[in-house]
Amino acid sequence: MRVVILGSGRGSNAEAILLAQQAGRLGAARVVQILADKPEAGILALGARFGVPAKFVDPAPFRTKLEGEGEARFIAAVRQAQPDLVVLAGFMRVLKAGFLGAFAGKIINLHPSLLPAFPGLDGIGQALRAGVKETGCTVHEVTMDVDAGRILEQARVPIEPGETLDSLAAKVHAAEHKLLPMVIARLSHGEK
Ligand code: GAR
């Protein structure tokens, strides 16, 4: 199963996927391409480290969504890698009909909350400010409705008294690093 990873940031989840692959824990999946919408994204450095092609693709003209010329460039770059699965690992843009249609049924996203709670930006901060006793992370299918596609798997994280944004973020990220490679391995074995 050919996997393309899209990201915008430091790439700790992409790293977890690649470490799982190295350790033989990614099932029949293998990462064939990493793409970022920011030239300075840490995720791009993983390419050289793990021997996977990695490149910046210009997402212009929009700031928070992928549409128009930027969308066309991303569609072309992803298509070239012939993916069976497109993994959004910290890709901080809303995908639109063009991209979703080009890779229909093949796109999954990682979100740092127990969806449907706290969709959108800053899922970890939202949960902390809401005062809930538990949050977590979700891997779900990507559809036109932001953060609302079918949920594939979730992991729970307790919020302790005195929890800070930093301490909670560390716990959620640790849960994400286990959850996402596990779901990819499962999908690679044909599980839905
Ligand atoms: C992750 O926590 C992921 O859940 C979040 O961005 C972070 C990326 O970290 N994604 C979203 O908030 C999507 N709405 P990483 O670059 O270290 O993998």
Side-chain angles (χ1 to χ4, degrees):
M1 189 177 76
R2 297 171 65 83
V3 177
V4 172
I5 301 178
L6 268 54
S8 306
R10 61 188 181 130
S12 70
N13 284 284
E15 181 185 30
I17 293 167
L18 289 158
L19 287 171
Q21 177 176 314
Q22 248 179 12
R25 286 187 287 103
L26 205 60
R30 73 190 158 99
V31 180
V32 295
Q33 178 77 61
I34 297 168
L35 300 172
D37 62 343
K38 294 197 176 133
E40 74 283 6
I43 193 171
L44 290 173
L46 295 170
R49 198 174 130 203
F50 288 92
V52 174
K55 67 178 178 191
F56 162 69
V57 178
D58 185 356
F62 299 104
R63 212 170 49 82
T64 59
K65 65 179 177 180
L66 194 63
E67 213 170 16
E69 289 164 21
E71 181 185 58
R73 282 188 286 268
F74 264 88
I75 290 173
V78 173
R79 221 173 236 152
Q80 209 168 31
Q82 301 183 306
D84 301 301
L85 184 69
V86 178
V87 177
L88 309 183
F91 190 64
M92 303 307 279
R93 277 176 189 271
V94 176
L95 298 180
K96 296 293 181 178
F99 191 95
L100 294 174
F103 308 104
K106 293 184 179 174
I107 313 171
I108 63 171
N109 181 47
L110 172 67
H111 184 81
S113 76
L114 291 176
L115 290 173
F118 313 122
L121 290 178
D122 191 20
I124 300 173
Q126 287 188 62
L128 190 63
R129 289 190 294 277
V132 294
K133 293 201 161 42
E134 184 182 64
T135 186
C137 50
T138 301
V139 179
H140 65 93
E141 294 178 351
V142 178
T143 59
M144 282 296 279
D145 303 318
V146 175
D147 296 336
R150 186 170 73 94
I151 290 172
L152 295 170
E153 197 60 80
Q154 295 183 308
R156 296 174 181 283
V157 170
I159 301 181
E160 315 285 351
E163 197 84 69
T164 65
L165 191 56
D166 281 349
S167 66
L168 184 57
K171 292 197 298 193
V172 172
H173 291 318
E176 290 182 328
H177 297 162
K178 286 191 192 140
L179 185 72
L180 186 54
M182 185 192 88
V183 172
I184 294 171
R186 221 170 70 184
L187 292 173
S188 82
H189 290 129
E191 283 182 47
K192 291 288 170 196

